[in-house]
Amino acid sequence: LPPCYTEKADKRDPVLYLLHGQTYTDDQWIRLGAVDVTNELFLNGEIMPFIIVFPDDHYWNTPAGTTFGSRLVDDLIPYIDQTYRTIPDPRSRAIGGMSRGAGWALNLGLTRPDLFGVIGLHSLAVFQRDSSKVAGWIQAIPAASRPSIFMDIGEKDQELTSAKKIENLFTQYDLPHEWHLYSGAHTDEYWSAHVEEYIRWYAGQWNNP
């Protein structure tokens, strides 16, 4: 929660859902500095306050892993919206992730434009079952509901080829997005080096402080 959450009892905030990578848990983003960076930028007056949720895809290596998306949209989001002072609107609800988490962000962000208006794809690992569906998902999004999208990946990342294919589809179907190719690989070191950039981008989708 933002440092000012308890002080402003009548204020509602946007929500950012950040999804971790495969073999990791819900603390991955915290270890990489997401909370520290967000608090520092807010306290310095550089960004507006928002809530961050770190879902745990702890069934990633079991058959139940395929139900993570339904648990997130059917159970977790309603719980967060009922429990905290959120702005329950897609433009004020972002979903982002790294690696497998970015695969989920791609899936949920494009198939549920009624829930998410902001999508972050960091070192995207596309689910094999999804690769042939992305073009259809893009075309099905109503023009007024097209999301804001940020994509980045390291030039030595093993997922680069598949990520480029998704970026090409975004370009082909004129889906607005940012694309960043940086030095680096599929590692915590790469993501920690870019955490502040990610947080600034998400915050920038909402109003200035």
Side-chain angles (χ1 to χ4, degrees):
L1 298 175
C4 63
Y5 184 82
T6 58
E7 301 169 7
K8 300 182 178 181
D10 60 343
K11 186 179 182 300
R12 291 185 170 272
D13 298 308
V15 183
L16 167 59
Y17 290 81
L18 286 178
L19 313 183
H20 63 80
Q22 186 164 303
T23 76
Y24 295 95
T25 60
D26 55 330
D27 71 341
Q28 185 181 23
W29 279 99
I30 299 171
R31 288 189 296 99
L32 295 175
V35 173
D36 292 338
V37 166
T38 304
N39 284 339
E40 181 178 358
L41 292 175
F42 167 68
L43 292 173
N44 289 341
E46 297 185 59
I47 63 173
M48 67 175 289
F50 56 89
I51 296 167
I52 307 180
V53 181
F54 303 99
D56 185 4
D57 183 11
H58 58 283
Y59 294 118
W60 65 264
N61 202 27
T62 70
T66 57
T67 68
F68 173 73
S70 61
R71 292 197 301 272
L72 192 149
V73 301
D74 295 335
D75 300 323
L76 182 58
I77 289 178
Y79 171 80
I80 295 296
D81 285 344
Q82 292 165 13
T83 306
Y84 301 97
R85 297 190 308 274
T86 67
I87 303 174
D89 176 86
R91 298 311 308 180
S92 295
R93 186 185 293 115
I95 186 167
M98 60 184 71
S99 190
R100 174 186 171 87
W104 274 118
L106 177 74
N107 177 298
L108 298 174
L110 294 186
T111 61
R112 297 301 305 266
D114 58 316
L115 291 178
F116 303 106
V118 178
I119 304 171
L121 307 174
H122 315 298
S123 304
L124 171 64
V126 185
F127 296 141
Q128 187 174 3
R129 65 178 184 268
D130 288 350
S131 58
S132 62
K133 303 176 184 178
V134 173
W137 291 343
I138 295 172
Q139 295 177 80
I141 299 174
S145 300
R146 289 194 150 199
S148 301
I149 300 175
F150 181 103
M151 291 187 72
D152 73 285
I153 197 166
E155 60 186 2
K156 295 181 180 179
D157 195 306
Q158 67 268 23
E159 304 291 344
L160 179 58
T161 298
S162 60
K164 277 186 172 180
K165 290 180 181 178
I166 298 302
E167 196 273 331
N168 288 338
L169 287 174
F170 290 168
T171 301
Q172 178 182 344
Y173 291 101
D174 199 28
L175 189 63
H177 64 282
E178 290 187 28
W179 165 256
H180 301 276
L181 180 61
Y182 296 121
S183 61
H186 205 83
T187 63
D188 274 357
E189 289 74 19
Y190 172 84
W191 298 315
S192 63
H194 294 278
V195 162
E196 181 173 338
E197 178 185 11
Y198 301 158
I199 294 299
R200 286 183 180 275
W201 181 81
Y202 289 116
Q205 306 311 301
W206 301 312
N207 294 330
N208 292 325

